[in-house]
């Protein structure tokens, strides 16, 4: 769209925010968090840095918003068994952590340091969103009679993914061997889930 005189129409509100966020997603995908700058995003979005700073106070906040846009929900697996579903969920998380998107997430977490507000936004992404597929597969297992309804507890549901994240943090590697995933499921997760509701 153009204004009289051939100039571009000035975008406002949601349209401008969408253009900025799309530009940030493109920059993050192409250059990672290290290459994300307000200048590059402004140029790509066809706006100025002030418009960005009015919406996101700093590069980290913009990076988090762009990362959240990049990570869309994936339907939980349905293998027909709780063990199969749990392994698929862990393997998917393992692939994500070692992917380019996982590298962006690791960079954002490192950059956040003690920034409580930013960490809260990342945890919001990884908290309820992370629990949802685990509660879904547990719900299916309850319906199949594999486990008791008492197993449907968010803290119990997410034990396996928390243990996998601990592997990443403690070992400092972007992926865990598959035998570690099997051990988490067979030695910790399934015994815990199956004991819920037993006398």
């Amino acid at each position: 769209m153009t204004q009289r005189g051939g100039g571009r129409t000035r975008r406002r509100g949601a349209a401008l925010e969408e253009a900025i966020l799309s530009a940030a997603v493109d920059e993050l995908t192409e250059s990672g968090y290290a290459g994300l700058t307000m200048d590059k995003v402004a140029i790509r979005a066809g706006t100025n840095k002030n418009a960005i700073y009015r919406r996101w106070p700093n590069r980290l906040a913009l990076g988090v918003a762009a990362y959240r846009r990049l990570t869309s929900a994936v339907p939980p697996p349905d293998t027909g068994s709780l063990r199969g579903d749990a392994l698929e969920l862990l393997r998917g998380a393992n692939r994500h952590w070692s992917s380019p998107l996982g590298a962006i997430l690791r960079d954002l977490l490192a950059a956040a340091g003690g920034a409580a507000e930013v960490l809260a936004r990342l945890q919001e992404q990884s908290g309820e969103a992370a629990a949802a597929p685990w509660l879904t597969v547990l719900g299916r297992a309850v319906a199949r009679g594999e486990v008791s309804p008492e197993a449907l507890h968010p803290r119990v549901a997410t034990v396996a993914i928390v243990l996998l994240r601990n592997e990443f943090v403690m070992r400092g590697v972007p992926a865990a061997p598959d035998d570690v995933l099997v051990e988490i499921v067979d030695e910790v997760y399934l015994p815990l889930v199956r004991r819920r509701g037993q006398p």
Side-chain angles (χ1 to χ4, degrees):
M1 292 177 66
T2 58
Q3 291 177 325
R4 207 178 307 172
R8 288 175 59 177
T9 299
R10 186 171 178 179
R11 293 165 299 175
R12 297 181 186 274
L16 179 56
E17 189 166 311
E18 177 61 31
I20 294 168
L21 201 50
S22 293
V25 164
D26 291 342
E27 286 294 331
L28 201 58
T29 304
E30 290 175 17
S31 308
Y33 180 67
L36 180 73
T37 69
M38 297 302 216
D39 285 323
K40 287 182 184 176
V41 172
I43 291 167
R44 191 183 283 256
T47 189
N48 59 59
K49 287 193 294 184
N50 289 339
I52 300 173
Y53 282 116
R54 280 195 293 274
R55 291 158 177 83
W56 294 278
N58 52 50
R59 184 172 75 102
L60 182 55
L62 180 60
V64 169
Y67 173 79
R68 292 188 64 176
R69 171 69 66 89
L70 276 167
T71 53
S72 55
V74 177
D78 191 0
T79 65
S81 76
L82 180 57
R83 182 180 188 273
D85 290 348
L87 281 171
E88 281 304 305
L89 281 170
L90 285 186
R91 286 171 177 150
N94 207 29
R95 285 190 299 271
H96 176 79
W97 193 255
S98 60
S99 73
L101 276 179
I104 290 169
L105 176 58
R106 293 194 305 275
D107 287 345
L108 288 169
L109 288 169
E117 184 182 336
V118 174
L119 286 172
R121 287 184 194 162
L122 282 169
Q123 286 163 358
E124 179 183 315
Q125 173 72 14
S126 59
E128 287 180 23
W134 289 93
L135 288 168
T136 298
V137 300
L138 267 180
R140 290 177 187 154
V142 168
R144 289 190 299 262
E146 278 188 84
V147 295
S148 165
E150 283 78 12
L152 281 170
H153 185 283
R155 201 174 304 276
V156 172
T158 55
V159 161
I161 194 68
V162 169
L163 289 174
L164 179 58
R165 283 190 195 136
N166 189 58
E167 287 289 318
F168 299 144
V169 172
M170 298 302 290
R171 297 179 191 274
V173 294
D178 198 67
D179 61 334
V180 169
L181 309 187
V182 172
E183 186 177 279
I184 288 171
V185 170
D186 289 345
E187 303 298 326
V188 181
Y189 182 69
L190 290 178
L192 172 65
V193 168
R194 287 172 178 156
R195 285 192 60 188
R196 295 283 292 186
Q198 290 184 359

